[in-house]
Amino acid sequence: MKSVIDILDLSVEELDGLIKTAMDIANHPDDYAQKCKGKKLATLFFEPSTRTRLSFEAAMYELGGNVIGFSEANSSSASKGESVADTAKVISCYADIIAMRHPKEGAPYVAAINASIPVINAGDGGHHHPTQTLADLLTIYREKGRLGGLTIGLVGDLKYGRTVHSLIAALSRYEGNKFVLVSPNELKVPDYVKKDVGDAAQFIETTDLMEYMDKFDILYMTRIQRERFTDRDEYERLKDSYILTTDKLVPAKKDMCILHPLPRVNEISVKVDDDSRACYFKQALNGKLMRMALIMHLLGHNDGQRFKGTTGEGGHKCHNPSCITSTEQELEHIHKKGQDGVYRCIYCDQPSVGLNSTSNSK
Ligand code: CP
């Protein structure tokens, strides 16, 4: 059985196959109208969502299936203290597949190792958002005709921006991509995102949105996310760091593609919506098509075997307050050495305090 917790749970061949299926769904929707007849999707959303939850639900209905679920933690027994593991075991009795969003990093992973049905990560804290990446990949493919040889500007909150983390992981597997990471110094991409992709991709970091504006094939804007900040003053100081306006687009390529996972607050002026390069509403449509393709793919691979978790070393505590280990009952804290030699928590990917001394970190 396959679950998708990280975009790397899908091979390049699977990503290419999902894109092919999504394009076919767009052209022949009637051929797919009964593909999931008799199947149920459970949407377990412990954090707000418009696009992800509703596009998952629309996707399942358009495949002929049904949907159960909840849209906020307060309407589930999580509000009474039920664990993610128990929730996953119970929902496995009622549904065929789960899409879960949770504010704690690693929560969908905990669900996957406890469920007897496939689990899809619909966004976990500031960590991963693999199905947004599927929407992004299809949009890039439809607009540019390729997923390699691109210069991609990623702008905004790159520290907590889970969509950016998953997109870098996915596009790093295609040849010749260059990433220009545009953020305030306080919101730079975490090391684990860059280091685990190896030497396949090039990275440039800058605080200046305009420095490479004439080079971008893709401009991926993101929101500075108020809900991820513990320091309100820091949020107020950083929230308007980058605002894309029509005048800033003057030096940009005529065929550049402007993406944003949405919701936007003010980081793209509404006037930019009329520019032919603005693709963020197409991206939302593409999200539904890719989620249809993914649901079919995962239901087709349910061999009854449980999702196999990562193995690693126990005995050390994860100190990240946003990690699922901070709230889940009796969850063993496990750490694993990455390609860069650094031990990280298997749930949230934060470096492991106590395991990364000079002597044992490499
Ligand atoms: N892009 C995205 O995840 O949007 P929602 O938060 O509305 O689901």
Side-chain angles (χ1 to χ4, degrees), residues 151-159 164-165 167-168 172 178-185 187-191 193-195 197 201-209 211-212 216 219-220 242:
T151 299
I152 305 130
L154 298 153
V155 183
D157 177 0
L158 308 188
K159 179 179 179 183
V164 167
H165 304 165
L167 186 58
I168 289 173
S172 297
K178 186 187 284 184
F179 299 94
V180 180
L181 307 175
V182 186
S183 72
N185 285 323
L187 297 177
K188 287 165 94 166
V189 163
D191 282 346
V193 174
K194 284 184 286 174
K195 286 185 176 149
V197 302
Q202 288 182 55
F203 293 98
I204 298 170
E205 292 193 301
T206 177
T207 56
D208 180 3
L209 172 60
E211 190 178 354
Y212 294 93
F216 298 142
L219 176 59
Y220 195 95
Y242 305 104

Side-chain angles (χ1 to χ4, degrees), residues 45 48-53 101 122 129 132 162-163 261-263:
F45 277 63
S49 167
T50 294
R51 273 146 297 276
T52 310
R53 184 173 67 84
R101 170 168 292 188
H129 194 347
Q132 178 62 48
R162 58 194 178 195
T163 64
L262 304 178

